[in-house]
Amino acid sequence: MHLKTPLSKAISTTKHHLSKLENLGIENLGDFLRYFPRTYNDQSNLRKIIEIRTDDINVIKGTLSQIIEIKTKYGKKLIKAKLTDETGSVDIVWFNQQYLKRVLYNGQKIILSGRAKFELGKITLISPEFEASQKKQLHTARIVPVYHETDGLNSKWIREKINPLLKYSKTLFTEYLPAEILKKENLMSYHEALIEVHFPNSLEKLEKAKNRLAFDELFLLQLKAIQKKWLWQQVEPQNQKIIANHEITTNFINNELPFELTNAQKSALNEIIGDLEKKHPMSRLLQGDVGSGKTIVAGLAIMNTILNGYQSALMAPTEILAEQHYKTIFKLFKNKNFNIKFLSGSTKQSEKKELYSQIENGTVDLIIGTHALIQQGVKFNNLGLAVIDEQHRFGVEQRSKLKEQQNPNLLSMTATPIPRTLAMTVYGDQDLSIIDEMPKGRIPIITRIIPEKKRKDAYNWIKDRIKKGRQAFVICPLVDESDTLELKSVVSEYEYLQNEIFPELKLTFIHGKLKAQEKEKIMTDFKDHKYDLLVSTSVIEVGIDIPNASIILIEGAERFGLSQLHQFRGRVGRGEHQSYCFLFMQNYSQTAIQRLKAMVDHTSGFKLSEIDLELRGSGHIYGIRQSGIPDLKMASLSDSKTITTARKHAENLIENDPYLKNYPKLAEKISELEKMYIKD
Ligand code: ADP
Ligand code: MG
């Protein structure tokens, strides 16, 4: 037996069951043993018959007698019996389970667990679960594991199949964590944790087992990231290091910018410039809310790169966003003698050719564009800095494409801030800079939860604003999974609003099923004020400046995560007008209201994602799913204590033994993890 032994060889079962397991992703022994319970029923406290209660599950050990089958006058079949222990006896009844006649017998020592009814002065146990009394109970009289069940695979079946395999766990799972870490963190050994997590001997042991398994996940994830970062830093960049020109930078900031940098922008810039000056290439993530001014920080890093004679690239996820950057940065450097070019999928073929050769021979100082920048023909002469905007919109591989060529400094940017400990795990191979401060003079967006009875008033109010020249967004409720339903919901909302509510206004709609180009066309037209109101699903593009749009109305707001609501809200408030965000709800639960209140009270994306993490866990944080990390089974990304501890150990280890030469099993584990990473 080894971990890769196919399940068909490890357990005896039917093809049918094997294919059900396969649907759950369980193909071999290792997968099966790592199929952890979803939860537990604590049935470890046995009751005597004299202690039976009617308000609770009773777990009782005793002897069966007087088993009989009865047919009621309504034709129902019952099995009745008595259970006796040293304190007395109790009646039992099972409905419609005729097979029990063959399974149970008088004199059998058994454990029952179930509810009891008190009627006509008599207590009866109703259809209890049962298990023959034996040395190791699996289904009763213990902390009972409950697994995710699919039809035909219930927990009882899984327990019976996993239990006999656990005896192999010691030989199958040799310990791979360094002994010092096990000792320092007082961790249970892996194989013991595996046994305890399936069939816990006590709640304390279960807790320790879970801790161990959670630690492993967070440790391995970070170890891998830190090792990746270390390895990457060993590769000599093809270009000489950059030396910042502080005089020109300060002059530029003082004389060419129409505003003063915020303190947060200054410190982010210092961190980035500090990295550029290091021998090994930068790998840094710049996090900051929409409108916090990340572009100018990137711009100043680009300027220093060009002043050192190197090329820069700036890549954005959509054409319209890339174009917006091009315009901004072109204007920013109007007094500099920089050769700045734009490249996207829709650049003409002949122009592309010319651009390719200019990029290759080094005449282009800065190329701004879309995915087109990582296409085959693009060869840089001496790329010193690559900037990726809205980095979570790119796949893991697309992101690494830009650094493959010449191992340049890499600056990623995101407007979906997440708490620091979380970012450390998810983006562990990058350093973090955070802009947590908005430029002075921004008018905060007013956010309100609107009760249904005020809907008409809200529509009238919006109409009034639009007549004064503003524009508005309406976001449709989240539709589960199905694109077709989502499409229907956005079209019907659009028709309703256009025909019934705003007949005199110009409306349009956008959704995920449209091609990228169609989406861009709608966004550009909306930006050019060809429409007053845009109805959208959650696909609405990030990062686009439409300063004239000052109202966003979100339907079914309670169904979105706070960080995503915050993203939506960032579509407005980019101009000189007071902006508004109206939240409508479909289900008014206490917790939903509490969550949405956070939107009213807080304007910081960091704060909101922290609250989201606390209330709903990490699965709902916008940007996590896109980050490419594997699903965690035991660990929680909100467990910042374990994250931090695990990270310290991982850093320590890589510092002393970057190739894990002294820990071959750990090294092997890391390469396994590599395969689990979501590929795109
Ligand atoms: P984001 O972080 O969302 O990419 P941008 O870089 O697009 O934000 O900046 C948003 C707007 O704020 C731009 O118009 C930019 O010129 C302006 N801006 C940036 N920094 C400052 C500042 N320190 N003071 C005032 N306005 C600023
Ligand atoms: Mg931006």
Side-chain angles (χ1 to χ4, degrees):
M1 291 274 195
H2 49 94
L3 289 174
K4 292 270 142 55
T5 302
L7 216 49
S8 57
K9 296 235 166 63
I11 60 175
S12 70
T13 186
T14 60
K15 277 219 169 76
H16 180 70
H17 278 114
L18 286 173
S19 82
K20 296 254 174 210
L21 286 164
E22 210 174 306
N23 290 342
L24 293 172
I26 303 170
E27 293 177 6
N28 57 40
L29 183 55
D31 298 336
F32 197 38
L33 286 172
R34 279 175 294 207
Y35 188 64
F36 300 141
R38 169 175 66 83
T39 180
Y40 301 85
N41 277 334
D42 187 1
Q43 301 191 8
S44 49
N45 291 321
L46 291 185
R47 237 168 237 164
K48 298 294 176 201
I49 286 175
I50 204 172
E51 300 167 331
I52 289 181
R53 294 164 55 164
T54 51
D55 58 349
D56 194 12
I57 300 281
N58 300 283
V59 187
I60 311 155
K61 191 169 173 174
T63 311
L64 278 183
S65 61
Q66 301 177 29
I67 304 171
I68 48 165
E69 186 181 8
I70 294 177
K71 214 173 183 171
T72 67
K73 55 183 172 190
Y74 306 109
K76 277 199 184 138
K77 286 182 177 165
L78 313 174
I79 304 267
K80 285 192 163 191
K82 248 187 198 333
L83 184 76
T84 308
D85 70 5
E86 66 276 16
T87 69
S89 21
V90 63
D91 287 339
I92 318 158
V93 59
W94 283 282
F95 298 98
N96 291 321
Q97 297 185 51
Q98 296 321 105
Y99 75 98
L100 291 182
K101 243 182 0 188
R102 294 188 307 272
V103 179
L104 304 174
Y105 55 90
N106 289 325
Q108 187 176 16
K109 295 251 185 294
I110 200 165
I111 296 176
L112 298 179
S113 110
R115 297 205 172 267
K117 191 173 75 177
F118 185 71
E119 221 174 60
L120 302 171
K122 211 173 66 165
I123 287 182
T124 309
L125 287 172
I126 311 295
S127 294
E129 302 261 347
F130 66 90
E131 184 179 19
S133 170
Q134 54 202 25
K135 231 162 91 204
K136 178 177 179 184
Q137 302 300 141
L138 298 185
H139 312 296
T140 55
R142 62 166 310 111
I143 301 166
V144 184
V146 179
Y147 297 86
H148 264 291
E149 306 187 344
T150 57
D151 81 302
L153 275 189
N154 59 32
S155 286
K156 198 166 180 176
W157 186 91
I158 297 173
R159 281 177 220 133
E160 270 164 15
K161 295 297 176 191
I162 285 192
N163 178 52
L165 299 173
L166 287 173
K167 60 174 173 287
Y168 303 116
S169 87
K170 193 165 184 175
T171 42
L172 288 173
F173 296 96
T174 44
E175 187 57 62
Y176 55 81
L177 280 190
E180 313 85 81
I181 297 180
L182 291 174
K183 184 146 171 258
K184 178 97 201 295
E185 300 307 326
N186 189 18
L187 294 171
M188 195 179 248
S189 69
Y190 191 91
H191 79 268
E192 192 187 352
L194 202 76
I195 293 170
E196 290 292 338
V197 85
H198 285 295
F199 292 101
N201 284 306
S202 67
L203 288 176
E204 293 71 41
K205 290 226 162 135
L206 174 59
E207 205 47 41
K208 277 201 85 174
K210 283 180 167 176
N211 281 346
R212 162 70 208 253
L213 298 171
F215 181 89
D216 280 28
E217 288 182 328
L218 295 171
F219 175 73
L220 293 172
L221 206 59
Q222 299 190 83
L223 186 67
K224 183 180 151 357
I226 292 163
Q227 188 188 44
K228 190 167 149 201
K229 182 164 147 191
W230 187 90
L231 290 171
W232 190 44
Q233 289 179 345
Q234 304 317 300
V235 183
E236 284 289 318
Q238 289 183 18
N239 300 307
Q240 293 296 307
K241 71 175 185 188
I242 287 161
I243 296 167
N245 192 322
H246 292 284
E247 202 188 319
I248 296 184
T249 308
T250 312
N251 262 335
F252 189 85
I253 292 172
N254 291 340
N255 303 323
E256 309 252 348
L257 292 186
F259 45 72
E260 213 183 307
L261 291 183
T262 62
N263 286 330
Q265 282 173 314
K266 282 181 203 159
S267 55
L269 180 63
N270 283 337
E271 286 165 349
I272 292 166
I273 286 194
D275 278 1
L276 291 178
E277 292 193 324
K278 283 183 190 144
K279 200 175 97 232
H280 57 73
M282 164 169 74
S283 167
R284 189 170 280 278
L285 176 66
L286 178 58
Q287 289 199 69
D289 258 334
V290 172
S292 62
K294 296 183 291 295
T295 317
I296 182 65
V297 174
L300 293 167
I302 289 171
M303 182 176 86
N304 276 288
T305 308
I306 301 178
L307 289 174
N308 277 265
Y310 300 114
Q311 293 173 299
S312 297
L314 169 56
M315 183 164 81
T318 63
E319 178 128 13
I320 176 168
L321 201 54
E323 219 169 293
Q324 193 175 293
H325 277 318
Y326 176 70
K327 282 183 192 147
T328 309
I329 288 183
F330 198 86
K331 215 162 81 193
L332 185 69
F333 293 137
K334 60 183 184 301
N335 297 331
K336 296 263 167 241
N337 204 5
F338 294 163
N339 186 1
I340 305 172
K341 287 281 153 59
F342 179 78
L343 173 64
S344 80
S346 51
T347 305
K348 279 201 221 80
Q349 204 54 40
S350 53
E351 258 174 72
K352 255 188 202 165
K353 269 214 174 123
E354 176 57 27
L355 272 177
Y356 286 169
S357 75
Q358 286 188 17
I359 294 170
E360 192 161 359
N361 68 26
T363 23
V364 170
D365 296 315
L366 168 61
I367 183 83
I368 299 176
T370 59
H371 299 81
L373 298 190
I374 47 176
Q375 239 88 80
Q376 276 228 319
V378 185
K379 293 212 175 53
F380 288 93
N381 184 281
N382 58 358
L383 185 61
L385 171 64
V387 182
I388 302 183
D389 195 18
E390 304 299 343
Q391 59 100 32
H392 62 278
R393 297 277 306 269
F394 292 96
V396 179
E397 264 154 39
Q398 290 174 320
R399 272 180 267 161
S400 52
K401 269 257 163 64
L402 254 184
K403 68 183 184 198
E404 256 164 30
Q405 269 196 38
Q406 298 188 318
N407 202 13
N409 294 289
L410 186 69
L411 178 65
S412 308
M413 304 198 285
T414 180
T416 55
I418 55 177
R420 187 175 272 275
T421 46
L422 188 55
M424 271 170 19
T425 326
V426 178
Y427 309 114
D429 55 344
Q430 303 176 59
D431 293 306
L432 279 185
S433 287
I434 291 177
I435 304 185
D436 55 1
E437 179 187 1
M438 281 293 185
K440 277 194 227 71
R442 287 282 156 80
I443 318 168
I445 300 165
I446 296 174
T447 302
R448 292 282 176 265
I449 302 170
I450 311 285
E452 203 49 46
K453 61 173 195 282
K454 289 276 174 71
R455 183 178 280 278
K456 270 257 150 61
D457 295 346
Y459 284 151
N460 283 332
W461 190 91
I462 291 174
K463 201 180 296 181
D464 198 53
R465 293 277 152 158
I466 290 180
K467 283 187 175 149
K468 288 188 176 127
R470 300 288 79 72
Q471 287 167 283
F473 298 101
V474 169
I475 307 288
C476 293
L478 192 66
V479 178
D480 287 326
E481 309 300 326
S482 153
D483 284 351
T484 328
L485 281 178
E486 190 169 87
L487 182 72
K488 230 173 100 181
S489 103
V490 76
V491 173
S492 66
E493 182 69 18
Y494 157 76
E495 282 171 352
Y496 170 73
L497 291 175
Q498 178 71 86
N499 299 333
E500 312 289 328
I501 307 292
F502 305 116
E504 69 274 41
L505 303 179
K506 278 198 284 268
L507 274 65
T508 187
F509 64 92
I510 189 168
H511 55 80
K513 275 212 154 170
L514 295 172
K515 292 208 187 74
Q517 279 169 349
E518 295 171 314
K519 279 192 246 175
E520 298 227 350
K521 170 98 175 63
I522 294 168
M523 291 310 290
T524 318
D525 286 349
F526 188 60
K527 191 179 160 100
D528 295 343
H529 207 158
K530 290 188 186 154
Y531 299 101
D532 301 308
L533 189 150
L534 175 65
V535 184
S536 173
T537 58
S538 56
V539 303
I540 189 152
E541 297 298 341
V542 290
I544 296 159
D545 256 331
I546 304 179
N548 192 46
S550 65
I551 304 159
I552 185 159
L553 183 159
I554 303 170
E555 297 284 356
E558 79 281 4
R559 306 200 51 192
F560 294 104
L562 293 182
S563 27
Q564 187 158 27
L565 287 172
H566 181 65
Q567 278 292 307
F568 292 151
R569 182 165 62 182
R571 303 307 97 220
V572 299
R574 299 177 156 221
E576 66 212 280
H577 314 288
Q578 170 67 56
S579 290
Y580 301 86
C581 172
F582 297 146
L583 306 172
F584 280 90
M585 301 175 71
Q586 290 176 323
N587 293 307
Y588 289 80
S589 73
Q590 202 56 40
T591 48
I593 294 172
Q594 185 203 347
R595 240 163 38 78
L596 293 188
K597 277 250 166 69
M599 287 299 296
V600 177
D601 296 342
H602 300 282
T603 52
S604 153
F606 287 102
K607 184 73 202 164
L608 287 167
S609 75
E610 229 166 72
I611 295 174
D612 225 9
L613 190 62
E614 256 165 53
L615 294 179
R616 300 215 303 179
S618 61
H620 294 275
I621 303 255
Y622 186 69
I624 300 291
R625 216 160 26 83
Q626 293 86 343
S627 68
I629 67 161
D631 275 344
L632 301 178
K633 288 176 168 181
M634 275 293 164
S636 155
L637 287 173
S638 50
D639 180 1
S640 59
K641 195 162 153 264
T642 312
I643 290 177
T644 313
T645 320
R647 184 171 188 90
K648 263 207 306 262
H649 285 297
E651 278 170 349
N652 223 335
L653 207 57
I654 295 297
E655 202 177 300
N656 294 315
D657 183 2
Y659 294 101
L660 300 172
K661 286 201 180 101
N662 298 316
Y663 306 96
K665 279 186 239 138
L666 195 53
E668 195 183 315
K669 204 73 197 158
I670 299 286
S671 70
E672 257 173 53
L673 192 68
E674 187 89 40
K675 287 177 211 128
M676 277 165 61
Y677 269 60
I678 300 157
K679 287 266 170 340
D680 50 354

